Structure formats: C-alpha cells, structure tokens
Amino acid sequence: MVQLYNLHPFGSQQVVPCKLEPERFCGGGRDTLFVAAGCKVEAFTVVGQELCQPRCVFSTLGRVLRLAYSEAGDYLVAIEEKNKATFLRAYVNWRNKRTENSRVCIRMVGHDMEAPFSETFRDQMSIVEMPLSEAPLCISCCPVKGDLLVGCTNNLVLFSLKYQIINEEFSILDFERSLVIHIDNITPAEISFCVGYVAVMSELEVLIVKLESDPKNRKSVNHHPHKTTNPTKQAEGISNETSQLESDDFVICQKPMELLGEKSKQSGISVTLESTGLADEKIKYFHVRHLLYRRFAPDISSCLLSDDIRLHSLQLLPIYQTGSLTSDRKNSSQEKVLLSLFCFFSLPHVGYLYMIVKSVELLSVYQYPEKCQQAVLTPQFLHVITSSRKRTGVNPKTPPVAEAGWNLYIVNTVSPVQLYKEMVDYSNAYKTAKTQSCIHVLSEAHLLVRAALMDASQLEPGEKAELLEAFKESCVHLGDCYSRLETQHSHLALPYYKMSGLSMAEVLNRVDWAVEDGSQKYERGLIFYINHSLYENLDEELSEELSAKVVQMFYAAEPKQLPHILCSPSMKNIDPLTAIKYLRKLDTSGFSSVLVTLAKAAMALKMGDLDMHRNEMKSHSEMKLVCGFVLEPRLLIQQRKGQIVPTEFAVHLKETQPGLLVASVLALQKNNKIGIEEADSFFKVLCGKDGDTIPQLLVDFWEAQLVACLPDVVLQELFFKLTSQYIWRLSKRQPPDTTPLRTSEDLINTCSHYGLINPWVNVLISSESLVDKNYMEDLSKLQSLICGPSFDIASIVPFLEPLSEDTVAGLSVHVLCHTRLKEYDQCIDRLLERCPEAVIPYANHELKEENRTLWWKKLLPELCQRIKCGGEKYQLYLSSLKETLSVVAVELELRDFLNVLPEDGTAAFFLPYLLYCSRKKSLT
C-alpha cells in the first residue's frame, strides 16, 4: 500500500488496479480516471457503486507522452509516439466505448460528414486526428470553452471546439484549426490555456499573454506572419555572439527578471498571430496583450541544468459562475462567466501564485519544506507531492496469478466543513495570547469555506447549508479578532460582522464588559464597527441598557463622536438623563460645540423640558445652529425601513422656528446631505400631507431654493413646482396652511428670478376689489415669476387652464404670459374687451421700438371701431383713443398720420392732432 507522509487533510483512499505500470493519468471530470499504459488508455469509474472499476479501454497508436481531458465537450486528447514520430489525437464520445473491440471511427479534423455516414457516430467512439507541421510537445484544454491549445517548438496552434450539426437531434463534436501563435526565443515545456489567456513555460521562463478579441488592432493578425526581432533580447546577450563566448570554462547566465503588464513586452520574446480562418469574419482573436514575464536564474554550481531550478506544474485556474449542462453535455445558453483568473507555477522548493485578471500581481509565494515533484492548485487547496528520505511511491502488488500488477491510489481529502472545524479548534490556542497567529489561522479557515461555496453548483442542499453556517461562524470569529486585537487592519471587524449576519445587539452582547481595575479599554475595531453601524440606519433599536453602554464606550474612546451616535435611530431608547450627563461632561472637557448644544436640546425635548431646550437654542446664533444641523443631519431627518422620518426636533422647529428649519434643510441640500426629492418628501411627511397636497412650508422651501440659487437645482423644474402651486391655490381660492415666510416684495427684492411686476398689471388688478391678502400674495408671486428673466413661459401656458380669465387675477396672468410670447394683438383685444382702462398703460409699457407700429396699426383702428359701436364703455374707449392719437401724432409724419385716420371720422375731433403733427417739424 502507498505510504503517505505529512499529508493533511487525508480522509480516505481508493485503489485503482492496473495490469501495466501507469505512464500517464488524468481525471475525467468528477466520475472518471484515465490511465495510459503501454499502447492503451483505460477509463475507471471513481464514483457510484462500481467504484474503481474499469468502464472502457481503447488502443492508442503508441506510447502516450501527454494526456489531457476537457469537461467542455467531454473529450480526451493525447500526444502519442510511434516509430519516433508524434501524433495528436482526440478521443470523442468515449463513453460509448463498451469493450476494447468495439467499433471505432477515425476521422480527420475539420472534415464535414455526410448525414448517412455520420449517423453511425451516434453510438460509437470517434478518434479525431489533428496533423501538425511541427511535432507537438504539450497540450492544454480551455476549462470554460473546451478549445485545445497545442505547444510546438516554434509556435502554438489553437483548435476551436465546435459542433457539426447533422440534424435537429444530433450533432458531432469537431475542431477547427483557427489560430497559430508564433513565438520566438522560448521553447514550451508546459502550456496552459483559458478563455484567451495563454501561459507558456520553459525550464526557466514563464510568459503569460492575453489574446484580445477587440478588432481595433486588426493589423496585429496576419495571414502570412513575419518574425520580429526584439532589441531587448539582443541587449541581454541572447544573440549568437553571446553563445560563441561560452566554453567549457565559462557559462553565461541571464539574471532573474519579473516584468508585469506592458513592461513584459521587453522580455525579448516575440509573439505574432496568424489567422488560419477562411474569412476575416471568422477571426476570433485580433491582437496580443502582454501580462507577465518571469525568468529564474540557473544553478551556477553546475554546467548542466539542475533539477532544483527547473519549473513545473504550470496552471491557469479560473474562478467562474457555472452554467448548467444539457443532456448531450453541451453548455446551455447560460454560459460560464469568468470572475477571476490565477496562474500558478512552481520550482522544486517554492511555488508562485499570480492574479492576472484586472491587474497582474503576485499574490502568494509558497515555501515547501521538501523538494516538490508536482503541484496542483484547486479553489480550496494547493496539493503538493514532495519527496524526502522516506520516499512516497507506488508499490507493485502480487496477485494470485504469476503476473505483476500495479495500483493507483486516489486520496480523498476530508470535507471542507470538517477541516474548518479543526482549524477553528487549533486557532483557540492563540486566542488568549492576542497575536496575529489567531487571525492567520481563522483567515485560512474562512477562505477554505468561502472557496467551497463559490462552486456551490456541485454541492448537495445539506452540504451547502452546512457550509453557509460555517461561513457565517467564521465571519463571527474574524469579527471578534479584529474588534478586540490591536492590529493595523482593525477596520475589517465591520465587513466580517456584516457578513456574519449578527445584529448589532448580538455583537455588543459578545463584548466582555467586566472591568477589574475600573478602567475599560475599547479597541479600535469594535469602535469602528459600532460607529459605522450606527450611521447605516439598520432599523435596529438597541435596548436602554446597551445604548447606555455604547454611550459609555464612546465617551471613553471617541468623545467627539458622542453627539453623532446619540442621533442614530438605533439609539432611540437611550435614557435622555444619561445622555445629557455625558454631554455635559464634554462641555467641561473642552469639547463644547454647537453640535453638543443641539444634542442637549434634542434630549431636553425628549424629556419634555422646554425651558432647557430654549436656553440651549439661545446660546448660539441662528447661523451657527444651521451649521450644527449640517454637521449632523439626523438631528432633523432620519430613515427607518427606507422611509424618511422627521425627528421630534424637526416637529418642534416647525411650530416654533420654521424659518430656521427651512434654512437648515436648505443648507443640508447645499452640502449634499439630502437630495431634492428627499427634501420634498421630508416636508410633506413633517406637515402630515400626502399625495399631491403641498404644504406651505414646502412652498417656502422652494422659494428659498430660488433665493439661494443652488447650483444643483434645475430651475425650470423649480419654476414649475412653484407656478403649479400658485395656480392651484388661486383657482381654488385655497389659502396656505401656514403663514408664508416670505412676501412677494421680499422675493422681488432678494431674488433675481422674481421680476418687477409690469405697471399696467396694477391698473388691471385695481379694477376689481381683491381683499384676500393671501390670494393677493400668491397672485403677486406668480406675476413676478412670469415677469422674471429666467422663466420659460411656453412651458407653463398649458397649465393655465384652471385659472379662468373671467377673474381679473386670471386675466392678468394670461395677458402676462401671452405678452411674454409677443402675442400683442391678442392681448390688446382681451384688454379692450375686459379692462379698457388698462390698455394705454399696457401700450405705453409694451409697444416700444419694433412694436410701436401697433399703436396705429392695431390699437387705433380697434378703438375707432369700438367707439362707433357705442355701449357702456364708450367713454373709456374715447379717452383711450385721445391718448392713442397723441402718441401717433408724435410718431408719424403728417401724410402717414392722415393715412391711418378713419375715413368716416369727424374732422373737428381729429383736427387738433393734425395741427400738432403738422407743426411739430417747425417746432423741432
């Protein structure tokens, strides 16, 4: 039986009997082991009732040099040697190979199969032969896509996995020779390929590149590639001249080198792509991005390359989300999504792990206690086979018949949960010593469980639940460590406690509050966790006892944070007397500030002590109080279960100091402490309004926003809010629910967006008695906004319908809007019909410059026509006509003046104006 030393964790083993000495072997997914011996490959079942029993066997051309299995496509590929020639062959549909003598179909790669002939492939194994211009040295299958990469002396050849569709129910797996990667100055001993990432390893060098599919650099792909020479390689002595300097007495060695990212182009290794597709649209990769080059120094104690510095075990390990497999083992439409990619390679005494997605960096270096023969990296473990004076080996067995036999041993590790529990028990030895060793062991245990959960698709429901419980428990242990041990990473207590699922109260209950010498020291990690948790609106209310302990903790460790943590919704149950006691201690300790004052005022309100509250509020100016609310917005606004909730402090200010409240919320918005929609919601909830009902305090806030000219406020949206509210209240004759903080006169004097109301509007308004002060204020604010320079009139006209023109207020607004739209004819008609006394003031103010012609083209003929008709407004029209004639007589020459006068007019009436027009030239 095989002897195992220094192996952990080791749960059990399975024995695979072999007749011949195994030469090569590899896993076939989760259920099969392939073993190559002699000129045969035998597949063994490693799961189920037929454990370690042969399931099929097939012959090869000769001795198997390399063997690899691809789960994507479920095929086996081998490099085989016969008569000193090497061949590359893929074994497809091997699960249907029941006996050694079963029929096998051999076909050439890429050859189309006719339907009648290909139907025979459904129930038999196929061997796909892939001829190459150079002898294959190594192979690698992409674990995600199933594509095959073959390493030769001077190039790498990529065969893309594809399916030939025979009919709707049947397709044949095949390959397409799609790309040749020409490489100079490195001979691949091992390669690894994963979704476009290529790793090439020689005895002392590792090169990693990414085949990019972005077509922006299509010139990098050639159908007839040319070889390029890198001057860096020449500069480092890799030329023929350097080789000639070597003799039996000297060995020229290259120095070790690590180049990351774009710098790896300086490695001296040229990489050129040659597309072998038949058309440009078949090109999958367009150019190469260099990621990593690492070179190691040989052992200079010997002229021959020592095994101690020869690289081995190259591997690209993807971490990805897996999709389901269909019955024919093809990936469904949900493809695997790559989350991260790692590269591992090893020297005999040390292993290297790099991350190569997003950024390229060395993650870890593994020192082996003994010489490493081979290493394999999995998401949970790094498996290393080492050798010592007690060598691990495979021993022959002696069966009853007189023939030699061999055993292969499959070693089963213990479950991740069991190993996790052992590591947690081991970490307890370091817990009381307060060292980094405890954190180190627990971190390894946490990563073990976390890695197992990342491949949750392979887990049974019970296993997954057990792993999730272990994961949460590991987060608790790490949270405890980082919260109690003095480390530079103490802030990590926060994410680990969050991932554990523990409530804040449960975390606090894990704290040892007992103090022997009367002085309690609170570590930074615990303070950091509690402080951030109290800022996150967790919808968790601490008990009065725990709240008092939190206050005590922060007074001792972070006294400046005490006013802030008292404002957290989680501290709702704090005894206000206890809070005020510690706040007063801050005053005497030199931490007095406006924030401490506001915190005391809030606690006084909670106790119902209004006198104390007033005294605290009087101790600072209103401007300083606003600054205090900016420092701690939760004094006014809190969130519970995703909803905005005004505090008791805000409710009190609404009744006693609404101006301070509006100014404070405005300052919060100006300092990005609250959004526009949140502020609107706050005032609605504060005033008990819902739906479309707008409280006056919110209107006051909108007006304050206009006055403050906040940069992030969209003016037209704010104009729309205000005008809509003004129009609604005017149309409904609805008074505001509270006294407005600003009058129209205040707004006109302090805000550039509120313009001076046109004089003719006052004449129009005075024609009707409006005694309601609130009504007049809303009307004046609306008129002032329309007269302002920033208002977009066209946007508001459709919303004027509720404001009827039958009222003087409605008429004034409509005429103002149409005047701003330069619809003067329409406005003159409306005023002549409804309020003739306002026509001349309107014309004096509006009909200027290019619009002066309307005096005689529109206003004069309209007045003459209405005077002819008579009526109760005859005298008003006549008075307006006289003023119009006075203006026209000044503006026009005599001949033009005569032309605009009505032909049927009374000459005596117009004579004074004609005389003035004829004399004005001599007078000037």
Side-chain angles (χ1 to χ4, degrees):
M1 184 169 182
V2 69
Q3 301 177 20
L4 301 172
Y5 293 94
N6 299 330
L7 183 61
H8 180 80
F10 170 54
S12 61
Q13 69 178 16
Q14 302 171 23
V15 181
V16 179
C18 302
K19 295 180 180 179
L20 301 176
E21 179 180 0
E23 296 174 344
R24 295 284 183 270
F25 56 87
C26 71
R30 301 178 65 89
D31 62 349
T32 306
L33 172 69
F34 293 105
V35 181
C39 294
K40 293 182 180 180
V41 173
E42 194 167 6
F44 294 88
T45 301
V46 293
V47 293
Q49 296 180 351
E50 299 180 356
L51 190 64
C52 299
Q53 295 300 313
R55 63 181 303 166
C56 69
V57 61
F58 42 88
S59 300
T60 62
L61 282 176
R63 186 168 63 95
V64 176
L65 303 180
R66 298 290 179 103
L67 194 65
Y69 168 80
S70 173
E71 187 171 1
D74 190 30
Y75 68 88
L76 184 72
V77 63
I79 297 177
E80 303 168 12
E81 181 185 49
K82 181 179 181 181
N83 298 329
K84 297 184 179 181
T86 53
F87 304 88
L88 179 66
R89 307 210 304 175
Y91 297 85
V92 179
N93 207 21
W94 56 270
R95 294 180 186 271
N96 288 329
K97 187 75 163 58
R98 301 302 179 186
T99 65
E100 186 174 357
N101 296 324
S102 299
R103 174 180 287 184
V104 174
C105 173
I106 301 177
R107 53 190 170 94
M108 194 68 69
V109 64
H111 283 204
D112 292 334
M113 299 295 146
E114 297 180 0
F117 177 69
S118 57
E119 282 287 347
T120 61
F121 296 161
R122 184 191 298 269
D123 300 320
Q124 69 182 36
M125 186 180 80
S126 297
I127 300 176
V128 182
E129 295 190 339
M130 302 181 218
L132 296 166
S133 60
E134 295 184 13
L137 302 177
C138 45
I139 50 178
S140 176
C141 303
C142 174
V144 180
K145 301 291 186 181
D147 297 341
L148 172 64
L149 187 67
V150 183
C152 304
T153 303
N154 296 310
N155 56 53
L156 309 175
V157 182
L158 178 62
F159 292 90
S160 298
L161 181 67
K162 69 173 186 177
Y163 289 87
Q164 288 191 28
I165 299 176
I166 306 303
N167 52 47
E168 294 181 356
E169 299 179 356
F170 179 58
S171 60
I172 297 176
L173 185 146
D174 199 3
F175 298 88
E176 179 183 8
R177 187 173 181 265
S178 59
L179 187 70
V180 177
I181 307 171
H182 296 273
I183 54 175
D184 287 342
N185 301 321
I186 185 172
T187 301
E190 294 184 25
I191 58 173
S192 187
F193 181 63
C194 181
V195 287
Y197 290 86
V198 177
V200 183
M201 185 180 74
S202 66
E203 292 182 335
L204 290 174
E205 297 172 288
V206 175
L207 175 69
I208 303 177
V209 297
K210 172 71 164 56
L211 305 180
E212 296 282 3
S213 56
D214 187 354
K216 65 183 180 181
N217 195 8
R218 295 175 67 104
K219 293 182 180 179
S220 298
V221 182
N222 303 313
H223 289 275
H224 302 285
H226 62 278
K227 301 298 180 64
T228 59
T229 304
N230 194 312
T232 308
K233 196 73 175 183
Q234 294 177 341
E236 293 175 358
I238 314 300
S239 61
N240 293 330
E241 289 81 356
T242 303
S243 302
Q244 293 172 1
L245 295 176
E246 297 184 1
S247 67
D248 294 339
D249 299 323
F250 298 97
V251 175
I252 305 300
C253 300
Q254 302 174 35
K255 63 181 180 180
M257 179 184 295
E258 181 189 51
L259 300 174
L260 303 179
E262 289 298 315
K263 291 184 179 180
S264 59
K265 289 183 178 180
Q266 304 171 11
S267 63
I269 300 175
S270 67
V271 181
T272 309
L273 303 185
E274 176 189 359
S275 173
T276 57
L278 298 179
D280 287 344
E281 56 267 19
K282 289 188 177 182
I283 297 177
K284 186 175 183 180
Y285 299 112
F286 292 95
H287 63 280
V288 175
R289 178 159 59 93
H290 291 252
L291 300 176
L292 170 70
Y293 174 75
R294 184 76 187 261
R295 182 172 65 207
F296 297 88
D299 184 358
I300 61 175
S301 62
S302 172
C303 293
L304 300 176
L305 186 62
S306 170
D307 287 341
D308 288 337
I309 45 82
R310 182 175 282 120
L311 290 166
H312 62 77
S313 303
L314 175 67
Q315 180 184 355
L316 290 176
L317 176 67
I319 302 296
Y320 48 78
Q321 295 175 341
T322 56
S324 58
L325 292 177
T326 57
S327 58
D328 57 355
R329 301 189 65 82
K330 300 178 189 176
N331 278 332
S332 65
S333 58
Q334 181 186 359
E335 295 185 352
K336 297 176 180 178
V337 178
L338 185 69
L339 299 180
S340 190
L341 185 66
F342 304 91
C343 181
F344 175 82
F345 51 86
S346 181
L347 289 168
H349 293 281
V350 61
Y352 299 88
L353 179 65
Y354 283 85
M355 180 176 71
I356 57 175
V357 168
K358 296 181 180 178
S359 64
V360 182
E361 58 180 304
L362 179 63
L363 292 183
S364 187
V365 177
Y366 302 93
Q367 299 288 342
Y368 309 137
E370 298 169 350
K371 184 178 179 181
C372 169
Q373 304 289 338
Q374 190 176 0
V376 177
L377 184 68
T378 68
Q380 289 89 359
F381 302 108
L382 171 62
H383 302 270
V384 181
I385 299 177
T386 61
S387 62
S388 63
R389 284 174 294 181
K390 295 182 177 180
R391 295 187 59 86
T392 298
V394 180
N395 300 328
K397 66 176 183 179
T398 305
V401 295
E403 61 174 346
W406 295 82
N407 285 342
L408 279 177
Y409 294 90
I410 302 175
V411 178
N412 298 320
T413 58
V414 298
S415 69
V417 172
Q418 181 180 341
L419 178 58
Y420 160 78
K421 292 177 180 178
E422 293 178 8
M423 297 174 75
V424 171
D425 291 340
Y426 181 70
S427 71
N428 290 331
Y430 299 98
K431 187 171 291 186
T432 57
K434 288 194 174 183
T435 64
Q436 292 290 334
S437 299
C438 180
I439 292 180
H440 179 78
V441 176
L442 288 175
S443 296
E444 292 289 341
H446 172 79
L447 291 174
L448 170 70
V449 177
R450 191 169 184 171
L453 281 171
M454 292 188 73
D455 198 14
S457 62
Q458 306 293 340
L459 298 173
E460 297 294 333
E463 291 179 293
K464 185 174 181 180
E466 193 176 13
L467 280 171
L468 283 172
E469 190 63 30
F471 173 79
K472 292 180 180 179
E473 183 186 274
S474 71
C475 293
V476 173
H477 290 317
L478 285 169
D480 289 345
C481 285
Y482 284 112
S483 68
R484 297 171 190 175
L485 304 182
E486 188 65 28
T487 74
Q488 61 177 341
H489 302 297
S490 56
H491 61 280
L492 293 178
L494 176 65
Y496 280 116
Y497 274 142
K498 294 297 182 187
M499 289 189 292
S500 73
L502 291 183
S503 67
M504 188 164 35
E506 290 171 325
V507 172
L508 288 170
N509 285 328
R510 298 177 66 85
V511 177
D512 183 10
W513 299 99
V515 183
E516 296 181 359
D517 57 356
S519 63
Q520 177 74 49
K521 181 182 179 183
Y522 304 100
E523 299 296 346
R524 288 182 303 166
L526 180 61
I527 294 294
F528 185 85
Y529 163 74
I530 297 297
N531 192 23
H532 279 260
S533 297
L534 291 175
Y535 267 99
E536 290 181 4
N537 300 317
L538 298 178
D539 298 327
E540 177 188 359
E541 295 180 2
L542 298 177
S543 65
E544 180 180 340
E545 180 184 3
L546 284 179
S547 298
K549 289 180 177 180
V550 169
V551 170
Q552 174 189 346
M553 178 194 306
F554 275 87
Y555 176 74
E558 292 283 346
K560 289 184 179 180
Q561 291 296 322
L562 186 55
H564 293 282
I565 64 109
L566 285 171
C567 297
S568 170
S570 300
M571 297 289 287
K572 179 182 178 181
N573 297 321
I574 184 66
D575 181 3
L577 286 174
T578 301
I580 289 177
K581 179 182 72 173
Y582 281 101
L583 288 170
R584 284 174 175 167
K585 287 183 179 181
L586 291 183
D587 282 337
T588 59
S589 303
F591 287 108
S592 180
S593 67
V594 65
L595 190 55
V596 175
T597 298
L598 289 173
K600 288 190 290 183
M603 290 300 153
L605 272 182
K606 193 172 184 180
M607 291 190 300
D609 191 341
L610 297 182
D611 290 336
M612 178 183 173
H613 172 80
R614 281 191 291 269
N615 291 334
E616 294 292 343
M617 295 296 286
K618 290 178 182 178
S619 62
H620 292 282
S621 67
E622 188 168 291
M623 184 60 70
K624 283 192 174 181
L625 293 176
V626 170
C627 294
F629 287 122
V630 171
L631 291 173
E632 184 44 79
R634 292 178 298 176
L635 284 164
L636 299 176
I637 304 170
Q638 295 183 352
Q639 285 196 356
R640 292 176 188 167
K641 297 181 179 179
Q643 301 295 321
I644 289 180
V645 180
T647 63
E648 186 180 356
F649 206 155
V651 174
H652 184 73
L653 289 179
K654 168 183 170 290
E655 303 297 333
T656 59
Q657 295 177 277
L660 173 61
L661 178 61
V662 169
S664 300
V665 178
L666 187 67
L668 292 178
Q669 184 181 343
K670 187 175 182 180
N671 288 275
N672 299 318
K673 298 295 182 70
I674 187 174
I676 296 175
E677 294 183 1
E678 289 176 309
D680 290 0
S681 177
F682 165 75
F683 281 108
K684 284 185 178 182
V685 175
L686 177 66
C687 299
K689 306 295 183 182
D690 55 4
D692 297 329
T693 305
I694 306 298
Q696 174 58 38
L697 204 58
L698 180 52
V699 177
D700 292 330
F701 176 68
W702 290 340
E703 292 172 348
Q705 285 181 305
L706 275 185
V707 173
C709 297
L710 298 183
D712 59 337
V713 173
V714 180
L715 278 180
Q716 297 306 322
E717 290 185 7
L718 196 52
F719 287 149
F720 177 77
K721 291 178 181 178
L722 283 169
T723 53
S724 298
Q725 186 61 20
Y726 294 149
I727 291 171
W728 181 82
R729 292 210 298 225
L730 288 169
S731 63
K732 303 292 184 181
R733 286 194 172 269
Q734 180 74 33
D737 56 340
T738 58
T739 303
L741 296 180
R742 285 183 171 88
T743 65
S744 58
E745 185 178 356
D746 295 334
L747 292 171
I748 292 172
N749 292 334
T750 59
C751 180
S752 62
H753 300 298
Y754 284 87
L756 287 172
I757 301 174
N758 297 344
W760 59 266
V761 176
N762 296 326
V763 178
L764 178 60
I765 295 299
S766 63
S767 66
E768 187 174 306
S769 177
L770 298 174
V771 296
D772 189 335
K773 181 181 179 182
N774 289 322
Y775 186 87
M776 280 301 300
E777 278 297 314
D778 284 338
L779 179 59
S780 296
K781 290 177 180 179
L782 178 58
Q783 292 169 343
S784 178
L785 265 185
I786 296 173
C787 292
S790 312
F791 194 74
D792 181 10
I793 299 298
S795 66
I796 199 63
V797 168
F799 300 95
L800 292 178
E801 185 177 351
L803 199 57
S804 173
E805 292 188 44
D806 294 339
T807 65
V808 171
L811 179 63
S812 68
V813 173
H814 281 274
V815 173
L816 269 175
C817 288
H818 288 287
T819 299
R820 288 289 306 275
L821 294 173
K822 301 184 183 303
E823 298 173 356
Y824 301 106
D825 288 18
Q826 182 179 349
C827 294
I828 290 173
D829 289 338
R830 291 184 181 183
L831 290 177
L832 286 173
E833 182 67 31
R834 292 288 311 282
C835 187
E837 60 267 37
V839 167
I840 296 304
Y842 175 86
N844 284 329
H845 190 269
E846 304 296 344
L847 305 184
K848 298 176 181 178
E849 298 175 355
E850 70 273 10
N851 299 318
R852 294 192 72 83
T853 59
L854 292 176
W855 279 93
W856 53 87
K857 290 184 177 180
K858 174 65 180 178
L859 185 55
L860 178 59
E862 282 290 338
L863 287 170
C864 292
Q865 182 63 33
R866 292 175 187 269
I867 288 173
K868 288 180 183 179
C869 297
E872 60 181 12
K873 297 180 181 179
Y874 175 82
Q875 290 299 327
L876 290 174
Y877 292 142
L878 185 60
S879 174
S880 299
L881 177 59
K882 291 178 179 180
E883 294 193 44
T884 302
L885 288 171
S886 298
V887 173
V888 175
V890 172
E891 293 293 327
L892 297 180
E893 297 296 331
L894 181 58
R895 180 179 297 178
D896 295 330
F897 188 25
L898 283 170
N899 289 334
V900 299
L901 292 179
E903 295 180 356
D904 56 350
T906 303
F909 177 80
F910 295 104
L911 184 58
Y913 303 100
L914 288 169
L915 290 174
Y916 176 81
C917 185
S918 64
R919 294 173 183 169
K920 68 179 180 180
K921 189 171 184 181
S922 60
L923 290 175
T924 57

